[in-house]
Amino acid sequence: MIDRDHLAEAKARYEQSVYTGDVSVLAAERGLDAVEADVALDRGRLLHARYLAARATEGAPPVEDPAELSLFQRATKLYASLGATRGEAEATFWIGCLYQVVRGDDETAVPHLERARDLAVRAGDAATEAEALRHLGIAAHRAGRLDQARDLLTESTRLRREIGNLSGVASNMVGLAYIASAQGETAKARTVLDEAHEIATVRSAHAVISHIEQARATLPD
């Protein structure tokens, strides 16, 4: 949510500067930078959500909105200039997520995801740390590093449970089931998907349930 105190302060300081000639009051720009960073991050996330929705319903892959990356980059730059480590971690994660999910470019995504994880740890932001770990796990899975992928997703799942993101737990379990299946542990994969389905049903996480059913369809008889 936009901090309207920052907007009101900027207006008041503008008027004070105009009438008194005191330019020192223009330090309110930092408050506006914080507002701009928040808005850029939120706008970028909405564009990403639209992309995912279109991908789920359209036959062909949707076209990337060119504004999405620039919004996340702007947010990252502003948060960094403000020393807002938590915000920088989140915005950096979304840059990595865009490269991985939208562009399918894990090589570019991974350094951003690793930096986001490190910043999140520094800021004590378990939610962003969990997101970064999940997507690092996805990258490891795609690269065939199954043990590493399992460890990353397991730690992400632990953090998601800790903060109460149970829909996210169920989503991670889908990935863990794919890994178990790839390692020849079909029975374990089925058990993990059954638990994930129970969690997703309670949370009305219909998109996750769809992913669970897709994963089940890939398991050998």
Side-chain angles (χ1 to χ4, degrees):
M1 180 178 293
I2 293 175
D3 188 340
R4 297 197 177 275
D5 289 343
H6 285 314
L7 301 180
E9 180 186 5
K11 181 179 179 181
R13 292 197 176 198
Y14 156 77
E15 292 175 350
Q16 185 179 349
S17 175
V18 168
Y19 293 125
T20 68
D22 181 6
V23 295
S24 68
V25 300
L26 297 181
E29 289 177 348
R30 287 180 61 82
L32 293 181
D33 285 346
V35 172
E36 183 182 348
D38 289 346
V39 171
L41 181 59
D42 285 343
R43 284 190 182 279
R45 280 190 297 222
L46 287 175
L47 292 179
H48 191 78
R50 288 195 181 101
Y51 175 89
L52 295 178
R55 188 176 68 176
T57 57
E58 297 176 4
V63 176
E64 175 187 344
D65 191 315
E68 185 179 338
L69 180 58
S70 62
L71 285 166
F72 292 141
Q73 290 173 330
R74 179 60 175 162
T76 301
K77 181 178 179 180
L78 288 168
Y79 284 130
S81 72
L82 293 165
T85 306
R86 180 182 289 264
E88 186 183 357
E90 191 171 2
T92 301
F93 160 74
W94 281 105
I95 292 174
C97 185
L98 180 146
Y99 276 110
Q100 183 180 70
V101 174
V102 179
R103 299 189 180 183
D105 182 358
D106 282 336
E107 183 177 357
T108 303
V110 165
H112 292 289
L113 295 170
E114 289 176 337
R115 175 158 175 76
R117 177 195 58 197
D118 293 345
L119 288 167
V121 169
R122 193 187 311 168
D125 181 359
T128 298
E129 182 186 355
E131 292 291 339
L133 287 167
R134 167 182 166 80
H135 286 267
L136 286 168
I138 291 170
H141 189 183
R142 287 175 174 173
R145 300 189 301 272
L146 299 183
D147 288 342
Q148 181 188 20
R150 184 192 62 234
D151 291 345
L152 288 164
L153 276 176
T154 298
E155 177 61 10
S156 174
T157 303
R158 184 190 69 78
L159 289 171
R160 284 182 164 185
R161 284 188 190 276
E162 189 176 278
I163 63 178
N165 180 7
L166 297 184
S167 295
V169 167
S171 182
N172 276 0
M173 292 176 76
V174 177
L176 288 167
Y178 277 117
I179 293 168
S181 178
Q183 293 181 317
E185 299 178 315
T186 303
K188 179 179 179 180
R190 291 188 190 281
T191 299
V192 170
L193 289 174
D194 287 344
E195 183 182 351
H197 193 277
E198 291 179 9
I199 295 171
T201 299
V202 171
R203 305 295 294 182
S204 297
H206 301 296
V208 178
I209 291 173
S210 177
H211 294 154
I212 291 168
E213 295 307 323
Q214 291 171 18
R216 279 177 172 159
T218 69
L219 296 178
D221 296 329

